[in-house]
Amino acid sequence: MRLPRILVLGVALAAVTLTACTNEAQQQPQQPAAQQSSQAQQPGGVSGRAVKVAFSAPGADHGWLKAITDNARKEAEELGVDLVLSEGTNDSAGQVSQVESLISQKPDVLVILPNEGGPLTPIAQKAMQAGIPVVNIDREFSSPTAYRTWIGGDNYGIGKAAADFITNELKCQGNVVEIQGVAGISVTELRSKGFTDGIKRCNGGIKIVASQPADFLPDKGLQVMETMLQGQKKIDAVYTHDDDMAMGAVQAIKAANREDEMFITGAGGSKDAMNLIAQGGLYRATFLYNPSMSGSAVSLAKLIAEHKGLSELVEPEVPSRIELPATTVTKENVAAVQNLGY
């Protein structure tokens, strides 16, 4: 099963805002966009040559980001897209410079997963103003004028789903520590807000006794968890924003011999996390946020360049916003989705 294609053409399962129409549309999974023969075609667009897509993302310092680049490359190869990749960097100023270079190469569409949405917004707006449509993945720019289409997971939904799982497990009574991702980016803020809102139903019975960012990195997850274990004598659950980062937290908990006191949840859907969930015990749940979205972004970029829409929709344009739902993965259903792990 090829996730990028399914997710691109499964947009009917998510709420979308159409550029040409404000009505929301419901969509059904279909065959890959490249194989559709009945898609609406608008005048103009690329024809007679391969679509040129420029791609920029942060450095692959953990599994999810590596899979982002891998999936984009794989989808481009299958669709016959000319993909121009910049070297990943976790420095926002460096990424701005790389995008400047990509713009100078005059791609048909620019796909960006920003290291930080705010600092990358002006350069994305520059591309849009130059007539180069931008597909924004995951971490959102600070203005909708910076992108033609955004595609990403439901970060608020991840936080809410984690809150629902943890409050049910603890029966609305207990202490939780939160290990966040990168401070200040939309992904982190939404996952925190979703969780905070989700535990309100417990009327104060669930308390967040410590919260600290660890930048989605396993080694920082380890360090932050060590600090929290030292400062908190009673921890019932650990809510982390990322499966790779959670692996460091798991290491710290086990080293402190406190795995019988608490449980942990992650996000993303890594193979390692799913394997631990299948074993049962400390790692109880994760929430799918599959990096196949980058492959979907490349497919959408091709449609935009060709001035095509999705055959599932009446409107002949790609939606301006596609949000993929979070799926809760526990021991009960992990076997059915382990093949999706990255």
Side-chain angles (χ1 to χ4, degrees), residues 292-316:
S292 59
M293 66 179 71
S294 61
S296 299
V298 170
S299 185
L300 291 169
K302 182 175 185 291
L303 291 175
I304 290 168
E306 295 172 338
H307 288 193
K308 292 180 180 178
L310 299 170
S311 63
E312 294 82 0
L313 303 180
V314 174
E315 293 77 9

Side-chain angles (χ1 to χ4, degrees), residues 92 101 104 145 165 188 195 197 217 242 259 271 308 332:
S92 293
S101 177
S104 70
T145 63
F165 179 83
T188 298
F195 189 77
D197 288 349
L217 300 175
D242 173 73
E259 60 262 42
K271 290 180 180 177
K308 292 180 180 178
E332 284 68 35

Side-chain angles (χ1 to χ4, degrees), residues 10 12-13 38 60 75 113 126 152 171 185 213 254 271 275 290-291 296-297 322 330 335 339:
L13 301 176
S38 60
E75 187 70 4
L113 195 165
K126 179 179 178 180
K171 296 179 173 55
I185 66 171
K254 290 184 174 180
K271 290 180 180 177
N275 289 338
N290 205 280
S296 299
I322 300 173
T330 65
N339 64 312

Side-chain angles (χ1 to χ4, degrees), residues 261-273:
E261 302 174 25
M262 63 192 74
F263 64 87
I264 189 169
T265 69
S270 75
K271 290 180 180 177
D272 289 340

Side-chain angles (χ1 to χ4, degrees), residues 31-330:
Q31 290 299 313
Q35 298 177 7
Q36 296 287 347
S37 60
S38 60
Q39 287 168 323
Q41 173 86 46
Q42 296 182 77
V46 174
S47 61
R49 64 172 175 82
V51 171
K52 183 177 182 179
V53 175
F55 184 90
S56 174
D61 53 10
H62 71 301
W64 193 88
L65 283 170
K66 180 181 183 302
I68 279 286
T69 300
D70 290 347
N71 285 327
R73 184 183 289 112
K74 181 179 179 181
E75 187 70 4
E77 289 174 357
E78 298 222 6
L79 294 177
V81 167
D82 178 11
L83 187 67
V84 181
L85 285 167
S86 64
E87 183 177 351
T89 176
N90 294 311
D91 174 69
S92 293
Q95 190 177 16
V96 168
S97 297
Q98 289 180 348
V99 174
E100 284 271 14
S101 177
L102 292 175
I103 291 173
S104 70
Q105 297 180 55
K106 302 186 185 312
D108 298 305
V109 183
L110 180 59
V111 178
I112 305 176
L113 195 165
N115 181 54
E116 299 173 282
L120 269 294
T121 296
I123 189 64
Q125 289 173 320
K126 179 179 178 180
M128 291 285 288
Q129 291 164 4
I132 302 173
V134 175
V135 178
N136 179 196
I137 306 175
D138 188 36
R139 305 173 186 179
E140 296 188 51
F141 296 126
S142 57
S143 170
T145 63
Y147 62 80
R148 162 61 179 80
T149 294
W150 173 86
I151 179 170
D154 183 359
N155 286 294
Y156 181 89
I158 282 178
K160 180 63 166 55
D164 290 343
F165 179 83
I166 288 173
T167 55
N168 288 337
E169 289 288 297
L170 296 180
K171 296 179 173 55
C172 270
Q173 291 292 326
N175 291 346
V176 178
V177 296
E178 177 187 17
I179 303 181
Q180 302 172 327
V182 176
I185 66 171
S186 61
V187 171
T188 298
E189 292 174 348
L190 287 168
R191 292 184 187 184
S192 287
K193 180 169 174 50
F195 189 77
T196 301
D197 288 349
I199 64 174
K200 287 178 181 178
R201 71 183 182 91
C202 293
N203 298 315
I206 297 292
K207 296 179 175 61
I208 301 175
V209 295
S211 182
Q212 187 176 335
D215 300 341
F216 297 123
L217 300 175
D219 57 342
K220 289 192 177 182
L222 169 64
Q223 295 167 10
V224 168
M225 191 72 240
E226 286 176 337
T227 300
M228 290 178 170
L229 289 167
Q230 293 169 6
Q232 303 296 328
K233 299 305 179 186
K234 184 178 185 299
I235 300 175
D236 299 297
V238 183
Y239 165 47
T240 76
H241 287 202
D242 173 73
D243 284 331
D244 291 316
M245 186 171 65
M247 291 301 155
V250 166
Q251 185 178 344
I253 294 167
K254 290 184 174 180
N257 294 315
R258 294 182 63 178
E259 60 262 42
D260 293 334
E261 302 174 25
M262 63 192 74
F263 64 87
I264 189 169
T265 69
S270 75
K271 290 180 180 177
D272 289 340
M274 290 191 188
N275 289 338
L276 289 179
I277 290 168
Q279 293 173 19
L282 178 61
Y283 215 116
R284 299 275 181 89
T286 189
F287 308 93
L288 292 189
Y289 195 79
N290 205 280
S292 59
M293 66 179 71
S294 61
S296 299
V298 170
S299 185
L300 291 169
K302 182 175 185 291
L303 291 175
I304 290 168
E306 295 172 338
H307 288 193
K308 292 180 180 178
L310 299 170
S311 63
E312 294 82 0
L313 303 180
V314 174
E315 293 77 9
E317 295 180 284
V318 169
S320 65
R321 189 172 183 86
I322 300 173
E323 189 169 82
L324 307 170
T327 299
T328 300
V329 179
T330 65

